[in-house]
Amino acid sequence: MTHFDVATAAVQAALDAGARYADARVMHRRYEAMSARNGEIEDLSQNEDAGIGVRALVGSGWGFYAVPDLSDAAARAAGGRAAKTAAASARVPGPAADLAPVGAGAGSWASACEIDPLAVPLSDKGDLLVYATKTMREHGADVAEGLYQIWDTEKWFVSSEGHRIDQHIRECGAGISSTAIGDGEVQRRSYPAYRGQYGTSGWELVRALDLGAHAARTAEEARALLSAPLCPEGETTLILGGEQMALQIHESVGHAIELDRILGWEAAFAGTSWLDLDQLGSLHYGSELMNITIDPTIPGALGSFGFDDEGTPAARRDAVREGRWVGVLAGRDSAAVAGLDYAGSVRADGWARLPMVRMTNVGLEPGPHTLEEIIAATDDGILMETNRSWSIDDKRLNFQFGTEVAYEVKNGRQGRLLRNPTYTGIGPVFWRSMDMLSSEIVPWGTPNCGKGQPGQIGHTGHPAAPARFQNVRVGVKG
């Protein structure tokens, strides 16, 4: 039997058991990760698994069942169990669930990959991390760490509406960090971002990062931070670097526009949203410079795919246009409830997890400036770069973030180093204060987005560039 045959058998079994809609995902996943510390390899992980997950819809109730067995008998049993669970769920009074329409048919997609990351010799990968961490130690790091991660995922999707889709998604990335320890003080500097940079790409992405070339600087900056003055407290003009802007988008926009949160379906430890559907199309989310898109079609970005896990083709759409909230991340069922005619943002963390609304590539469109122009136009402010900590309430409204490093900006010039920088704000107030935005967009990848119970880890992308915000509270009041 082919993987499509297995998925088709599961879907038919669910229909035979009373489901009015069913779909099945067969997945084969491989994962590899290596970490090094202080010039020595510390850990190597290599995992591989395969299985099938089946969804069934009966009335208003969903059912899901998954097994790590790709035999015909196991697939049919999984389909029947999914339908049985859906029937039990449908006993709760409520109207039959609708699904937003999506064209059905055959499809195939694969992410671009010049160098298969799993084919690169382990010795070469290890040498890269050993060299980088050894170099950081030689330049002042007390703890020098490096890592890479690789995911290779193949999917075969079949639905009772006629979908028959296969995808091959290869993802990888890497990063390094230096920790310096002083008298009552610990500082860290990371490259190219906290936990590294990731994308739907081959090993060419890691080679382009050139970790070894940045190792010495990373260690020297961590050591310099130990004696840098503390970030001052008060309201000021804040400039955020691109990597920190990616986190700002992720936490205060991406999660907030997930439709399941807005509808109150996702309200466990992960929280809900401050947004109200009645304001879609009219809410003033940010300044006119704020143009945010939902775009899983960006080549190489970590949230890219050809089809989501409901078979909806990848498509670009607006989330915020000239500061106005105009779009959400949705699935077929949540879109139907909200009266929307689009979905396309449903994915699962593997074959054994129920697909749910997840971010794809949620990011800013370019602005008209450069970082140099933004600094030159700032008389008195602070530039913060590289995330260190994050905290945001369950409605994704009030936040406080810390970064690894900051620089004083005076009279249009970047000045002295500042340690332990933090800033705080309220989402729409903060975004409305953005008055300068760079054109230097980078599709930052976040491979560790948590959501749901049982918890799922999602891979998301966030095109972002440096930006300036007015009257932002920074520092910690003594």
Side-chain angles (χ1 to χ4, degrees), residues 297-387:
T297 70
I298 300 172
L302 190 60
S304 295
F305 49 80
F307 303 83
D308 79 345
D309 283 350
E310 294 186 308
T312 304
R316 179 189 181 279
R317 59 179 47 89
D318 289 337
V320 179
R321 177 54 51 187
E322 295 181 351
R324 187 166 50 91
W325 175 41
V326 296
V328 298
L329 294 152
R332 294 184 64 189
D333 54 355
S334 57
V337 167
L340 303 175
D341 62 357
Y342 61 86
S345 300
V346 166
R347 289 185 291 166
D349 175 14
W351 52 267
R353 289 289 183 265
L354 181 68
M356 64 194 304
V357 175
R358 301 307 303 258
M359 282 180 255
T360 61
N361 297 313
V362 179
L364 281 163
E365 290 189 346
H369 310 290
T370 65
L371 176 58
E372 289 73 18
E373 290 171 344
I374 294 173
I375 292 172
T378 303
D379 292 331
D380 188 3
I382 294 177
L383 166 64
M384 297 188 187
E385 294 182 334
T386 314
N387 178 251

Coordinates of all heavy atoms in Angstrom, one line a residue, residues 297-387:
T297 N 3.8 31.7 1.8 CA 4.5 31.5 0.4 C 5.9 32.1 0.3 O 6.5 31.9 -0.7 CB 3.6 32.1 -0.7 OG1 3.7 33.5 -0.6 CG2 2.2 31.7 -0.6
I298 N 6.4 32.7 1.4 CA 7.7 33.3 1.3 C 8.8 32.2 1.2 O 8.9 31.4 2.1 CB 8.0 34.2 2.6 CG1 6.9 35.3 2.7 CG2 9.4 34.8 2.6 CD1 7.0 36.1 4.0
P299 N 9.6 32.2 0.2 CA 10.6 31.2 0.0 C 11.6 31.3 1.2 O 12.2 32.3 1.5 CB 11.3 31.6 -1.3 CG 10.3 32.4 -2.1 CD 9.5 33.2 -1.0
G300 N 11.9 30.1 1.8 CA 12.9 30.0 2.8 C 12.5 30.4 4.2 O 13.2 30.1 5.1
A301 N 11.3 31.0 4.4 CA 10.9 31.4 5.7 C 10.4 30.2 6.5 O 9.8 29.2 5.9 CB 9.8 32.5 5.6
L302 N 10.5 30.2 7.8 CA 10.2 29.0 8.6 C 8.8 28.6 8.6 O 8.4 27.5 8.8 CB 10.8 29.2 10.0 CG 10.8 27.9 10.9 CD1 11.6 26.8 10.3 CD2 11.2 28.2 12.3
G303 N 7.9 29.6 8.4 CA 6.4 29.3 8.4 C 5.9 29.0 7.1 O 4.7 29.2 6.9
S304 N 6.7 28.6 6.1 CA 6.2 28.5 4.7 C 5.8 27.0 4.5 O 6.4 26.1 5.0 CB 7.3 28.9 3.7 OG 7.5 30.2 3.8
F305 N 4.8 26.8 3.6 CA 4.4 25.5 3.2 C 3.6 25.6 1.9 O 3.2 26.8 1.5 CB 3.5 24.8 4.3 CG 2.4 25.7 4.8 CD1 1.2 25.9 4.2 CD2 2.6 26.4 6.1 CE1 0.2 26.7 4.7 CE2 1.6 27.2 6.6 CZ 0.4 27.3 5.9
G306 N 3.2 24.5 1.3 CA 2.4 24.6 0.1 C 0.9 24.5 0.4 O 0.1 25.1 -0.3
F307 N 0.6 23.7 1.4 CA -0.8 23.5 1.9 C -0.8 23.4 3.4 O 0.2 22.8 4.0 CB -1.4 22.2 1.3 CG -1.4 22.2 -0.2 CD1 -0.2 21.8 -0.9 CD2 -2.5 22.5 -1.0 CE1 -0.2 21.7 -2.3 CE2 -2.5 22.5 -2.4 CZ -1.3 22.1 -3.0
D308 N -1.8 23.9 4.1 CA -1.9 23.6 5.5 C -2.4 22.2 5.8 O -2.6 21.5 4.8 CB -2.7 24.7 6.2 CG -4.2 24.6 6.1 OD1 -4.6 23.8 5.3 OD2 -4.9 25.2 6.9
D309 N -2.6 21.9 7.0 CA -3.0 20.5 7.4 C -4.5 20.2 7.2 O -5.0 19.2 7.7 CB -2.5 20.2 8.8 CG -1.0 19.9 8.8 OD1 -0.4 19.7 7.8 OD2 -0.4 19.8 9.9
E310 N -5.2 21.2 6.6 CA -6.6 20.9 6.1 C -6.7 20.9 4.6 O -7.7 20.8 4.1 CB -7.5 22.0 6.7 CG -7.6 22.0 8.2 CD -8.7 22.9 8.7 OE1 -8.6 24.1 8.3 OE2 -9.6 22.5 9.4
G311 N -5.5 21.0 4.0 CA -5.5 20.9 2.5 C -5.7 22.3 1.8 O -5.9 22.3 0.6
T312 N -5.7 23.4 2.6 CA -5.9 24.7 2.0 C -4.6 25.2 1.4 O -3.6 25.2 2.1 CB -6.4 25.7 3.1 OG1 -7.6 25.2 3.7 CG2 -6.7 27.0 2.5
P313 N -4.6 25.6 0.2 CA -3.4 26.1 -0.5 C -2.9 27.3 0.2 O -3.6 28.2 0.7 CB -3.8 26.4 -1.9 CG -5.1 25.6 -2.1 CD -5.8 25.5 -0.8
A314 N -1.5 27.4 0.3 CA -0.9 28.6 0.9 C -1.2 29.8 0.1 O -1.2 29.8 -1.1 CB 0.6 28.4 0.9
A315 N -1.6 30.9 0.8 CA -1.9 32.2 0.1 C -1.6 33.3 1.0 O -1.7 33.2 2.3 CB -3.4 32.2 -0.2
R316 N -1.2 34.4 0.4 CA -0.9 35.6 1.2 C -2.1 36.5 1.4 O -2.9 36.6 0.5 CB 0.2 36.4 0.4 CG 0.6 37.8 1.0 CD 1.4 38.6 0.0 NE 1.9 39.8 0.6 CZ 1.2 40.9 0.7 NH1 -0.1 40.9 0.2 NH2 1.6 42.0 1.2
R317 N -2.2 37.0 2.6 CA -3.3 38.0 2.9 C -2.9 39.0 4.0 O -1.9 38.7 4.7 CB -4.6 37.2 3.3 CG -4.5 36.4 4.6 CD -5.8 35.7 4.9 NE -6.4 35.1 3.8 CZ -6.2 33.8 3.4 NH1 -5.4 33.1 4.1 NH2 -6.8 33.3 2.4
D318 N -3.6 40.1 4.0 CA -3.3 41.1 5.0 C -3.9 40.8 6.4 O -5.0 40.3 6.5 CB -3.9 42.4 4.6 CG -3.2 43.0 3.4 OD1 -2.0 42.6 3.1 OD2 -3.8 43.8 2.6
A319 N -3.1 41.1 7.4 CA -3.6 41.0 8.8 C -3.8 42.4 9.3 O -4.8 42.7 10.0 CB -2.6 40.3 9.7
V320 N -2.9 43.4 9.0 CA -3.0 44.8 9.3 C -2.6 45.6 8.1 O -1.6 45.3 7.5 CB -2.2 45.2 10.6 CG1 -2.3 46.6 10.9 CG2 -2.5 44.3 11.8
R321 N -3.4 46.5 7.7 CA -3.1 47.3 6.5 C -3.2 48.8 6.9 O -4.3 49.3 7.4 CB -4.1 47.0 5.4 CG -4.0 47.9 4.1 CD -2.6 47.8 3.6 NE -2.0 46.5 3.4 CZ -0.8 46.3 3.0 NH1 0.1 47.3 2.8 NH2 -0.3 45.0 2.9
E322 N -2.1 49.5 6.8 CA -1.9 50.9 7.2 C -2.5 51.1 8.6 O -3.2 52.1 8.9 CB -2.6 51.8 6.2 CG -2.0 51.7 4.8 CD -2.6 52.6 3.8 OE1 -3.7 53.2 4.1 OE2 -2.0 52.8 2.7
G323 N -2.2 50.2 9.5 CA -2.6 50.3 10.9 C -3.9 49.8 11.3 O -4.3 49.7 12.4
R324 N -4.7 49.4 10.3 CA -6.1 48.9 10.5 C -6.1 47.4 10.5 O -5.6 46.7 9.6 CB -7.0 49.5 9.5 CG -8.5 49.2 9.7 CD -9.4 50.1 8.9 NE -8.9 50.0 7.5 CZ -9.4 49.2 6.6 NH1 -10.3 48.3 6.9 NH2 -9.0 49.2 5.3
W325 N -6.7 46.8 11.5 CA -6.8 45.3 11.6 C -7.8 44.8 10.6 O -9.0 45.1 10.6 CB -7.3 44.9 13.0 CG -7.5 43.4 13.2 CD1 -6.7 42.4 12.7 CD2 -8.6 42.8 13.9 NE1 -7.3 41.2 13.1 CE2 -8.4 41.4 13.9 CE3 -9.6 43.3 14.7 CZ2 -9.2 40.5 14.5 CZ3 -10.5 42.4 15.3 CH2 -10.3 41.0 15.2
V326 N -7.4 43.9 9.7 CA -8.2 43.4 8.6 C -8.2 41.9 8.4 O -9.0 41.4 7.5 CB -7.8 44.1 7.2 CG1 -8.0 45.6 7.3 CG2 -6.3 43.8 6.9
G327 N -7.4 41.2 9.1 CA -7.4 39.7 8.8 C -6.9 38.9 10.0 O -6.3 39.4 11.0
V328 N -7.2 37.6 10.0 CA -6.9 36.7 11.1 C -6.3 35.4 10.6 O -6.3 35.1 9.4 CB -8.2 36.3 11.9 CG1 -8.8 37.5 12.5 CG2 -9.2 35.6 11.0
L329 N -5.7 34.7 11.5 CA -5.2 33.3 11.2 C -6.4 32.4 11.5 O -6.9 32.4 12.6 CB -4.0 33.0 12.1 CG -2.8 33.8 11.8 CD1 -1.9 33.9 13.1 CD2 -1.9 33.2 10.7
A330 N -6.8 31.6 10.5 CA -8.1 30.8 10.7 C -7.9 29.4 10.2 O -7.1 29.1 9.3 CB -9.2 31.5 10.0
G331 N -8.8 28.6 10.7 CA -9.0 27.2 10.2 C -10.4 27.2 9.5 O -11.2 28.1 9.6
R332 N -10.7 26.1 8.9 CA -12.0 26.0 8.1 C -13.2 26.1 9.0 O -14.2 26.7 8.7 CB -12.0 24.7 7.3 CG -11.0 24.7 6.2 CD -11.1 23.4 5.4 NE -12.4 23.4 4.6 CZ -12.9 22.4 4.0 NH1 -12.2 21.2 4.0 NH2 -14.0 22.5 3.3
D333 N -13.1 25.5 10.2 CA -14.3 25.5 11.1 C -14.4 26.9 11.8 O -15.5 27.5 11.9 CB -14.2 24.4 12.2 CG -13.0 24.3 12.9 OD1 -12.0 25.1 12.7 OD2 -12.9 23.5 13.9
S334 N -13.3 27.4 12.3 CA -13.4 28.7 13.0 C -13.8 29.8 12.0 O -14.5 30.8 12.3 CB -12.0 29.1 13.6 OG -11.0 29.1 12.7
A335 N -13.3 29.7 10.7 CA -13.6 30.7 9.7 C -15.1 30.7 9.4 O -15.8 31.7 9.3 CB -12.9 30.5 8.4
A336 N -15.7 29.5 9.4 CA -17.2 29.4 9.1 C -18.0 30.0 10.2 O -19.0 30.7 10.0 CB -17.5 27.9 8.9
V337 N -17.5 29.8 11.5 CA -18.2 30.4 12.6 C -18.2 31.9 12.6 O -19.2 32.6 12.9 CB -17.6 29.8 13.9 CG1 -18.1 30.6 15.1 CG2 -18.0 28.4 14.1
A338 N -17.0 32.4 12.1 CA -16.8 33.9 12.1 C -17.4 34.5 10.8 O -17.4 35.7 10.7 CB -15.4 34.2 12.2
G339 N -17.9 33.7 9.9 CA -18.4 34.2 8.7 C -17.4 34.7 7.7 O -17.7 35.5 6.8
L340 N -16.2 34.1 7.8 CA -15.1 34.4 6.9 C -15.0 33.4 5.7 O -15.4 32.3 5.9 CB -13.8 34.5 7.6 CG -13.7 35.5 8.8 CD1 -12.4 35.3 9.6 CD2 -13.9 36.9 8.4
D341 N -14.5 33.8 4.6 CA -14.4 33.0 3.5 C -13.0 32.4 3.2 O -12.7 32.0 2.1 CB -14.9 33.7 2.2 CG -14.1 34.9 1.8 OD1 -13.1 35.2 2.6 OD2 -14.4 35.5 0.8
Y342 N -12.1 32.5 4.2 CA -10.8 32.0 4.0 C -10.3 31.3 5.3 O -10.8 31.5 6.4 CB -9.8 33.1 3.7 CG -9.7 34.2 4.8 CD1 -8.8 34.0 5.8 CD2 -10.4 35.3 4.7 CE1 -8.7 35.0 6.8 CE2 -10.3 36.3 5.7 CZ -9.4 36.1 6.8 OH -9.3 37.1 7.7
A343 N -9.4 30.3 5.1 CA -8.8 29.6 6.2 C -7.2 29.6 6.0 O -6.6 30.6 5.7 CB -9.4 28.2 6.4
G344 N -6.6 28.4 6.0 CA -5.3 28.2 5.5 C -4.2 28.3 6.6 O -3.0 28.4 6.3
S345 N -4.5 28.4 7.9 CA -3.5 28.5 9.0 C -3.6 27.5 10.0 O -3.5 27.7 11.2 CB -3.7 29.9 9.6 OG -3.5 30.9 8.7
V346 N -3.9 26.2 9.6 CA -4.0 25.1 10.5 C -2.9 24.1 10.3 O -2.6 23.7 9.2 CB -5.4 24.4 10.3 CG1 -5.4 23.0 11.1 CG2 -6.5 25.3 10.9
R347 N -2.2 23.8 11.4 CA -1.1 22.8 11.3 C -1.0 22.1 12.7 O -1.5 22.5 13.7 CB 0.3 23.5 11.1 CG 0.4 24.1 9.7 CD 1.8 24.6 9.4 NE 2.1 25.8 10.2 CZ 3.3 26.3 10.4 NH1 4.3 25.7 9.9 NH2 3.4 27.5 11.0
A348 N -0.4 20.9 12.6 CA -0.2 20.1 13.8 C 1.3 19.8 14.0 O 2.0 19.7 13.1 CB -1.0 18.7 13.6
D349 N 1.6 19.6 15.3 CA 3.0 19.2 15.6 C 3.1 17.7 15.5 O 3.1 17.0 16.5 CB 3.2 19.7 17.1 CG 4.6 19.2 17.6 OD1 5.4 18.7 16.8 OD2 4.8 19.3 18.8
G350 N 3.1 17.2 14.3 CA 3.2 15.7 14.1 C 1.9 15.0 13.9 O 0.8 15.5 14.0
W351 N 2.0 13.7 13.5 CA 0.9 12.9 13.1 C 0.0 12.6 14.4 O -1.2 12.3 14.2 CB 1.3 11.6 12.5 CG 2.4 10.9 13.3 CD1 3.7 11.0 13.1 CD2 2.1 9.9 14.3 NE1 4.4 10.1 14.0 CE2 3.4 9.5 14.8 CE3 1.0 9.4 14.9 CZ2 3.6 8.6 15.8 CZ3 1.1 8.5 16.0 CH2 2.4 8.1 16.4
A352 N 0.6 12.7 15.6 CA -0.2 12.3 16.8 C -0.9 13.5 17.4 O -1.4 13.4 18.6 CB 0.8 11.6 17.8
R353 N -0.9 14.6 16.8 CA -1.6 15.8 17.4 C -2.7 16.3 16.5 O -2.5 16.3 15.2 CB -0.5 16.9 17.6 CG 0.5 16.6 18.7 CD -0.2 16.7 20.1 NE 0.7 16.5 21.2 CZ 0.9 15.3 21.8 NH1 0.2 14.2 21.4 NH2 1.7 15.2 22.8
L354 N -3.7 16.8 17.1 CA -4.9 17.4 16.4 C -4.4 18.7 15.7 O -3.9 19.6 16.4 CB -6.0 17.6 17.3 CG -7.3 18.2 16.7 CD1 -8.0 17.2 15.8 CD2 -8.3 18.6 17.9
P355 N -4.7 18.9 14.4 CA -4.3 20.2 13.8 C -5.1 21.4 14.5 O -6.3 21.2 14.8 CB -4.7 20.0 12.4 CG -4.7 18.6 12.1 CD -5.2 18.0 13.5
M356 N -4.4 22.5 14.6 CA -5.0 23.7 15.2 C -4.5 25.0 14.5 O -3.5 24.9 13.8 CB -4.7 23.7 16.7 CG -3.2 23.9 17.0 SD -2.8 23.5 18.7 CE -3.8 24.6 19.6
V357 N -5.1 26.1 14.8 CA -4.7 27.3 14.2 C -3.3 27.7 14.7 O -3.1 27.8 15.9 CB -5.7 28.5 14.6 CG1 -5.2 29.8 14.0 CG2 -7.1 28.2 14.0
R358 N -2.4 27.9 13.8 CA -1.0 28.3 14.1 C -0.6 29.4 13.2 O -1.0 29.6 12.1 CB 0.0 27.1 13.9 CG -0.3 25.9 14.7 CD -0.5 26.1 16.2 NE 0.7 26.8 16.9 CZ 1.6 26.1 17.6 NH1 1.5 24.8 17.8 NH2 2.5 26.8 18.2
M359 N 0.4 30.2 13.7 CA 1.0 31.2 12.9 C 1.7 30.6 11.7 O 2.3 29.5 11.9 CB 2.0 32.1 13.7 CG 1.3 33.1 14.6 SD 2.6 34.0 15.5 CE 2.4 33.3 17.1
T360 N 1.7 31.3 10.6 CA 2.6 30.9 9.5 C 3.8 31.9 9.4 O 4.5 31.9 10.4 CB 1.8 30.9 8.2 OG1 1.3 32.2 7.9 CG2 0.6 30.0 8.3
N361 N 3.9 32.6 8.4 CA 4.8 33.8 8.4 C 4.0 35.0 8.6 O 3.3 35.5 7.7 CB 5.6 33.9 7.0 CG 6.4 32.7 6.8 OD1 7.2 32.2 7.6 ND2 6.3 32.1 5.6
V362 N 4.1 35.6 9.8 CA 3.4 36.8 10.2 C 4.4 37.9 10.4 O 5.2 37.8 11.3 CB 2.5 36.6 11.5 CG1 1.8 37.9 11.8 CG2 1.5 35.4 11.3
G363 N 4.4 38.8 9.5 CA 5.5 39.8 9.5 C 5.2 41.1 8.9 O 4.2 41.3 8.2
L364 N 6.1 42.1 9.1 CA 5.9 43.4 8.6 C 6.4 43.5 7.1 O 7.3 42.9 6.7 CB 6.8 44.4 9.4 CG 6.3 44.8 10.7 CD1 7.4 45.4 11.6 CD2 5.1 45.9 10.5
E365 N 5.7 44.4 6.4 CA 6.2 44.8 5.1 C 7.2 45.9 5.3 O 7.2 46.6 6.3 CB 5.0 45.3 4.2 CG 4.1 44.3 3.8 CD 3.1 44.8 2.8 OE1 3.0 46.0 2.6 OE2 2.4 44.0 2.1
P366 N 8.2 46.1 4.4 CA 9.2 47.0 4.5 C 8.7 48.5 4.7 O 7.7 48.9 4.2 CB 10.1 46.9 3.3 CG 9.7 45.6 2.7 CD 8.3 45.4 3.1
G367 N 9.5 49.2 5.5 CA 9.3 50.7 5.6 C 10.1 51.5 4.7 O 10.9 50.9 3.9
P368 N 10.1 52.8 4.8 CA 10.9 53.6 3.9 C 12.3 54.0 4.3 O 13.0 54.8 3.6 CB 10.0 54.9 3.8 CG 9.4 55.0 5.2 CD 9.2 53.6 5.6
H369 N 12.7 53.5 5.5 CA 14.0 54.0 6.1 C 15.1 52.9 6.2 O 14.8 51.7 5.8 CB 13.7 54.6 7.5 CG 12.6 55.5 7.5 ND1 12.7 56.8 7.0 CD2 11.4 55.4 8.1 CE1 11.5 57.4 7.2 NE2 10.7 56.6 7.8
T370 N 16.2 53.3 6.6 CA 17.3 52.3 7.0 C 17.5 52.5 8.5 O 17.1 53.5 9.1 CB 18.6 52.6 6.3 OG1 19.1 53.9 6.7 CG2 18.4 52.6 4.8
L371 N 18.2 51.6 9.1 CA 18.5 51.7 10.5 C 19.4 52.9 10.8 O 19.2 53.7 11.8 CB 19.2 50.4 11.1 CG 19.7 50.5 12.5 CD1 18.5 50.8 13.5 CD2 20.4 49.2 12.9
E372 N 20.3 53.2 9.9 CA 21.2 54.3 10.0 C 20.4 55.6 10.0 O 20.6 56.6 10.8 CB 22.2 54.4 8.9 CG 23.3 53.3 9.0 CD 22.8 51.9 8.7 OE1 21.7 51.8 8.0 OE2 23.5 50.9 9.1
E373 N 19.4 55.7 9.1 CA 18.5 56.9 9.1 C 17.7 57.0 10.3 O 17.5 58.2 10.8 CB 17.6 56.8 7.8 CG 18.4 57.0 6.5 CD 17.5 56.7 5.3 OE1 16.4 56.0 5.5 OE2 17.9 57.0 4.2
I374 N 17.2 55.9 10.9 CA 16.4 56.0 12.1 C 17.3 56.5 13.2 O 16.8 57.4 14.0 CB 15.9 54.6 12.4 CG1 14.8 54.2 11.4 CG2 15.2 54.6 13.8 CD1 14.3 52.7 11.5
I375 N 18.5 56.0 13.4 CA 19.4 56.5 14.4 C 19.7 58.0 14.2 O 19.7 58.8 15.2 CB 20.7 55.6 14.5 CG1 20.4 54.2 14.9 CG2 21.7 56.3 15.4 CD1 21.5 53.2 14.8
A376 N 20.0 58.3 13.0 CA 20.4 59.7 12.7 C 19.2 60.7 13.0 O 19.5 61.9 13.3 CB 20.8 59.9 11.2
A377 N 18.0 60.2 12.9 CA 16.8 61.1 13.2 C 16.4 61.1 14.6 O 15.4 61.7 15.0 CB 15.7 60.6 12.3
T378 N 17.2 60.4 15.5 CA 16.8 60.3 16.9 C 17.8 61.2 17.8 O 19.0 60.9 17.8 CB 16.9 58.8 17.4 OG1 16.0 58.1 16.5 CG2 16.4 58.7 18.8
D379 N 17.2 62.1 18.4 CA 18.0 63.0 19.3 C 18.4 62.4 20.6 O 19.5 62.5 21.2 CB 17.3 64.3 19.6 CG 17.1 65.2 18.3 OD1 18.0 65.1 17.4 OD2 16.1 65.9 18.2
D380 N 17.4 61.6 21.2 CA 17.6 61.1 22.5 C 16.8 59.8 22.6 O 15.6 59.8 22.6 CB 17.2 62.0 23.6 CG 17.5 61.6 25.0 OD1 18.2 60.5 25.1 OD2 17.2 62.2 26.0
G381 N 17.4 58.6 22.7 CA 16.7 57.4 22.7 C 17.6 56.2 23.0 O 18.8 56.4 23.4
I382 N 17.1 55.0 22.9 CA 17.8 53.8 23.2 C 17.5 52.8 22.1 O 16.4 52.6 21.7 CB 17.4 53.2 24.6 CG1 17.8 54.1 25.7 CG2 18.0 51.8 24.8 CD1 17.4 53.7 27.1
L383 N 18.6 52.1 21.6 CA 18.5 51.0 20.7 C 18.6 49.7 21.4 O 19.6 49.5 22.1 CB 19.6 51.2 19.6 CG 19.8 50.0 18.7 CD1 18.6 49.6 17.8 CD2 21.1 50.2 17.8
M384 N 17.6 48.8 21.3 CA 17.7 47.5 21.9 C 17.7 46.4 20.9 O 17.0 46.5 19.9 CB 16.5 47.3 22.9 CG 16.4 48.3 24.0 SD 15.1 47.8 25.2 CE 15.2 49.2 26.3
E385 N 18.6 45.4 21.2 CA 18.7 44.3 20.2 C 18.8 42.9 20.9 O 19.3 42.8 22.0 CB 20.0 44.5 19.4 CG 20.0 45.7 18.5 CD 21.3 45.8 17.6 OE1 22.3 45.3 18.1 OE2 21.2 46.4 16.6
T386 N 18.3 41.9 20.3 CA 18.4 40.5 20.6 C 17.7 40.1 21.9 O 18.0 40.5 23.0 CB 19.9 40.1 20.8 OG1 20.7 40.6 19.7 CG2 20.0 38.5 20.8
N387 N 16.6 39.4 21.7 CA 15.8 39.0 22.9 C 16.5 38.3 24.0 O 17.3 37.4 23.7 CB 14.6 38.2 22.4 CG 13.7 37.8 23.5 OD1 13.6 36.6 23.9 ND2 13.0 38.8 24.1

